[in-house]
Amino acid sequence: MNGPVKISDVAKLAGVSASSVSRALNPDRYASEELRARVAEAVAKLGYEPNAFAQSLRVQSSRTIGCMVSDVANPLYAEIIVAAEARLQEAGYLMVVANSQSGSRELDLLNMFRRRRMDGLLVTLDDDTREDVLAVLKDSGVPLVLLDRDVNLSCDRVSVDHRQGAYAVVSYLLSLGHRSILLETPSHRVRPGRERIAGAEAAVHDAGLPPSVLKVSDHVDLSQPHVFSDVLQELARPSRPTAIVTLGTAMLAGTLSAIEANHLRIPEDISVVSIGDTILAQFAAPGITALRWNLKQFGRTAAELLIERIEGRAGTYRTITFPTELVLRRSCVPPAAKPSKGARPAVQTAAAK
């Protein structure tokens, strides 16, 4: 047959009308099993592929989902995206992933999703306080699931208990005797940053220690060079930190590079904890103690919430929060009483006196 196969060709081979073929190919419309079988056989013989765009105009559904994250190279996002895509594919949806480049393209991407008639959105924002972005999301008119963000929108959300996680990490370091802890974290303008800072500060407070035990360095720029420069400055101080808590992404890479540049050893001279159990944390030498949560289940849950909302099976908006777990490896020990040869002087802690 010359040219693309048309619905009329399928109808002719199956011995039915074109409208019957259309009905048989639409899972949401009634058609007898005998009709569906005849049409399916004709479709298979002719290699017919329905026009997805034309179908979307008829049924008001594109079967596509827009997913926007700030950095697709972030390994924590990557695992979530893969899991969400797999669940959406099972349900017959195609997921389009877009990189907002740390927030600079958020408005453009959201408007593009609207023009392309996405059935729903999975979104993480680079700044929870941007009113212009929130206004576009409110006016989108499609189901939305927020990924670990806390903003004034009526939608479903999937989050992580970062506050309790940070509390557990800092409490663990305090129990080892550390009294100079550096927390390298994304900005307080996003929920994970705010929650981690609150949890870390609460751990210090509940331990009856002064706030000066914890130094918080929150970043908008999460790149390896930026974090490297920041940690380098902190390690150059006379009262340098004896422990660093950092996100297990490019931030961890920058932290490890700065530690190496200062000729410090992990854990003999400085302890390190990764927020997020990434490949870098797992296979660094030594392995980095990490706070982890189930990224795959996070992604599948976000997709499931969106599917249920699109298909009208959801009731009130839900927030599902995943717990964290501290995985102990070999990167944390009590702070050294004396600096090792070649290392910068460390803070003398109460436990080391």
Side-chain angles (χ1 to χ4, degrees):
M1 181 177 293
N2 296 325
V5 178
K6 296 177 289 194
I7 195 169
S8 58
D9 299 320
V10 177
K12 183 177 180 181
L13 182 60
V16 298
S17 66
S19 61
S20 294
V21 173
S22 179
R23 192 169 69 252
L25 293 177
N26 187 343
D28 297 325
R29 297 179 63 186
Y30 172 76
S32 68
E33 291 302 318
E34 188 268 341
L35 174 60
R36 291 191 191 278
R38 287 170 63 185
V39 170
E41 184 180 0
V43 165
K45 286 182 178 179
L46 296 173
Y48 173 68
E49 294 183 359
N51 186 311
F53 179 71
Q55 281 187 325
S56 72
L57 293 177
R58 288 194 298 271
V59 302
Q60 298 296 303
S61 172
S62 64
R63 307 296 292 182
T64 56
I65 302 299
C67 176
M68 183 178 75
V69 297
S70 59
D71 182 7
V72 294
N74 182 326
L76 301 177
Y77 285 147
E79 196 164 346
I80 290 171
I81 289 169
V82 169
E85 182 182 36
R87 178 64 191 95
L88 288 165
Q89 188 176 41
E90 291 170 6
Y93 292 91
L94 172 70
M95 188 170 81
V96 178
V97 181
N99 185 356
S100 71
Q101 296 178 354
S102 299
S104 64
R105 300 177 59 222
E106 283 181 343
L107 283 176
D108 290 341
L109 291 174
L110 290 174
N111 285 322
M112 182 198 72
F113 287 159
R114 177 177 52 81
R115 290 192 301 270
R116 292 179 179 271
R117 303 164 55 87
M118 300 292 176
D119 288 344
L121 302 176
L122 297 173
V123 170
T124 184
L125 302 173
D126 192 63
D127 184 349
D128 289 356
T129 66
R130 282 191 60 178
E131 293 296 333
D132 54 348
V133 173
L134 298 184
V136 171
L137 286 172
K138 286 179 181 178
D139 295 339
S140 66
V142 298
L144 165 70
V145 174
L146 282 177
L147 307 178
D148 216 6
R149 293 296 182 267
D150 184 17
V151 296
N152 185 25
L153 290 174
S154 297
C155 63
D156 297 302
R157 307 158 196 264
V158 182
S159 300
V160 175
D161 193 350
H162 296 292
R163 184 177 299 221
Q164 184 57 40
Y167 187 99
V169 168
V170 173
S171 295
Y172 169 65
L173 292 172
L174 293 175
S175 74
L176 292 177
H178 290 279
R179 298 297 182 267
S180 182
I181 300 170
L182 173 64
L183 173 61
E184 294 277 332
T185 180
S187 167
H188 63 278
R189 295 188 302 182
V190 292
R191 178 185 178 276
R194 291 192 300 272
E195 290 295 291
R196 289 186 191 116
I197 293 169
E201 291 176 342
V204 173
H205 176 271
D206 291 353
L209 295 168
S212 57
V213 165
L214 176 71
K215 168 69 183 295
V216 175
S217 184
D218 63 328
H219 302 272
V220 173
D221 183 352
L222 309 182
S223 67
Q224 189 269 349
H226 177 79
V227 175
F228 171 80
S229 176
D230 184 72
V231 174
L232 208 59
Q233 289 183 339
E234 294 297 331
L235 294 178
R237 299 181 188 279
S239 56
R240 68 163 176 82
T242 61
I244 300 177
V245 182
T246 186
L247 199 63
T249 58
M251 295 185 73
L252 177 58
T255 298
L256 296 179
S257 297
I259 290 171
E260 183 179 11
N262 273 268
H263 306 292
L264 296 173
R265 300 167 299 164
I266 302 172
E268 293 88 348
D269 304 318
I270 192 164
S271 293
V272 178
V273 178
S274 170
I275 303 293
D277 195 15
T278 58
I279 294 295
L280 178 57
Q282 294 172 26
F283 292 99
I288 305 297
T289 289
L291 189 72
R292 72 180 177 193
W293 53 96
N294 194 326
L295 294 168
K296 290 182 180 178
Q297 194 58 42
F298 184 107
R300 287 189 67 86
T301 299
E304 188 62 42
L305 288 177
L306 189 59
I307 293 166
E308 291 180 4
R309 185 66 58 186
I310 292 170
E311 298 181 354
R313 296 185 281 113
T316 57
Y317 292 116
R318 292 160 292 176
T319 297
I320 297 178
T321 303
F322 281 80
T324 59
E325 174 190 10
L326 186 59
V327 182
L328 301 181
R329 296 195 176 100
R330 296 186 296 113
S331 64
C332 297
V333 295
K338 295 180 181 180
S340 64
K341 187 176 181 180
R344 294 181 183 274
V347 172
Q348 188 126 28
T349 69
K353 290 181 180 178

